Amino acid sequence: MNVVEFPKEAPKIVLLHGLGGTHRYWLTGLAQLKANYHVILIDLLGFGDSEKPWINYTKSRHLDALESCLAEYDQFFLIGHSLGAGLSIAYSARNPDKCLGQVLISLPFFPSEQQAFSWLRKTPSGWLMTNMLTVIVTCIITRRVLGPFLPKILKEFPREVAEDLVKHTFLSSTTSLWQILYRSTISKDTALATNKIPTLCIHALNDNTAPIDTVKNLVAQQSNWTLDILKTSSHHPWLWDNAACQKAINRAIGLWQECQ
């Protein structure tokens, strides 16, 4: 797997991007992170500059790749966005001794595939993203036709984020989406790590991709989870309200270190 690291005598943080992202998703605010932490950025299996084998991208395969990649590090904090947040929960459940705490940004938590489809299909784009054939076609068209024009089409996004939307395959995109998020085992993974991994969720009220109500319910069931609610940063608080994210992360990691 592709890893970009900024060593420092400071707490280690591992950042996991979301679906269609790469390690460059975190470039917004990276300077502040590097000033406070030993930063480890990862391209998930099948994304960015990591290998993209012709396989079904199951949770187990993602976790095996992450465990191999992170084997050399002793302990660290995990920060994940969207798909990366789901994988953070799964990783910490399997490796509770390595994860000192986790920050979950815009966690798409759906108790079932049916509930995921019901929520997402409230919008036309949601219908598109819950049909595997249309997801595959969209992925191929985006990569082969629209790729060079994405920075101009998606002007509101940082250029590197728009550019990297083509750095995956239709297999890594679709099977990761279905296996990690739609056919979610987040409830089971969370139960395994209950009272072991302190967790902060950062979520926007107007997130149309990941419902906030299911995250509220999940947080309410855990004694060591907290939720920071933002108002208008949609599914990308890291991009649209980076200062609030940085403040919440620094506060949480500071408290977790005091409790160790």
Side-chain angles (χ1 to χ4, degrees):
M1 294 176 72
N2 182 54
V3 179
V4 178
E5 186 172 1
F6 300 94
K8 182 181 175 69
E9 289 298 323
K12 295 182 180 68
I13 59 170
V14 176
L15 292 99
L16 306 178
H17 60 79
L19 191 76
T22 73
H23 72 275
R24 298 206 300 168
Y25 181 84
W26 305 102
L27 292 184
T28 298
L30 181 59
Q32 292 93 319
L33 290 180
K34 288 163 57 179
N36 297 314
Y37 305 105
H38 177 147
V39 179
I40 302 163
L41 304 173
I42 294 176
D43 285 338
L44 297 175
L45 181 68
F47 296 87
D49 294 324
S50 288
E51 56 271 28
K52 301 174 182 64
W54 196 254
I55 58 171
N56 183 2
Y57 286 76
T58 62
K59 181 179 75 171
S60 293
R61 281 177 166 148
H62 274 292
L63 291 181
D64 289 346
L66 280 173
E67 287 173 337
S68 176
C69 180
L70 296 172
E72 66 180 280
Y73 305 105
D74 48 4
Q75 292 182 310
F76 43 78
F77 297 95
L78 275 170
I79 301 175
H81 169 249
S82 196
L83 174 71
L87 285 172
S88 176
I89 294 173
Y91 179 91
S92 63
R94 253 172 57 164
N95 303 273
D97 295 333
K98 298 200 72 164
C99 184
L100 298 170
Q102 58 186 347
V103 179
L104 311 176
I105 303 174
S106 304
L107 171 67
F109 171 49
F110 304 104
S112 70
E113 183 174 352
Q114 181 179 3
Q115 287 171 281
F117 288 179
S118 177
W119 165 266
L120 291 167
R121 286 174 177 172
K122 294 177 182 179
T123 65
S125 61
W127 277 96
L128 183 73
M129 291 304 295
T130 53
N131 182 297
M132 189 170 289
L133 179 59
T134 58
V135 173
I136 291 172
V137 171
T138 300
C139 179
I140 292 172
I141 292 174
T142 300
R143 289 171 56 233
R144 297 186 178 181
V145 180
L146 297 179
F149 309 103
L150 286 176
K152 293 183 179 180
I153 296 172
L154 303 173
K155 293 180 180 179
E156 69 275 23
F157 283 88
R159 184 176 184 86
E160 61 273 4
V161 173
E163 288 176 343
D164 288 355
L165 282 172
V166 300
K167 301 189 77 172
H168 56 267
T169 69
F170 75 82
L171 260 182
S172 63
S173 178
T174 55
T175 60
S176 294
L177 178 61
W178 257 260
Q179 298 288 351
I180 309 301
L181 298 182
Y182 293 165
R183 297 167 186 166
S184 172
T185 58
I186 287 174
S187 293
K188 293 180 181 178
D189 292 332
T190 300
L192 290 174
T194 296
N195 298 321
K196 294 180 181 179
I197 312 297
T199 298
L200 166 67
C201 293
I202 300 175
H203 215 97
L205 279 172
N206 65 334
D207 191 333
N208 293 322
T209 300
I212 192 170
D213 288 341
T214 57
V215 173
K216 285 181 178 178
N217 292 336
L218 189 64
V219 171
Q221 296 170 22
Q222 316 303 320
S223 62
N224 58 349
W225 284 41
T226 56
L227 172 62
D228 267 25
I229 299 176
L230 306 179
K231 291 183 179 180
T232 59
S233 49
S234 188
H235 194 56
H236 296 281
W238 186 257
L239 301 181
W240 312 139
D241 201 349
N242 188 262
C245 289
Q246 298 265 3
K247 182 178 180 180
I249 290 169
N250 292 338
R251 182 176 64 246
I253 291 179
L255 288 172
W256 297 338
Q257 287 183 293
E258 290 178 5
C259 296
Q260 290 173 9

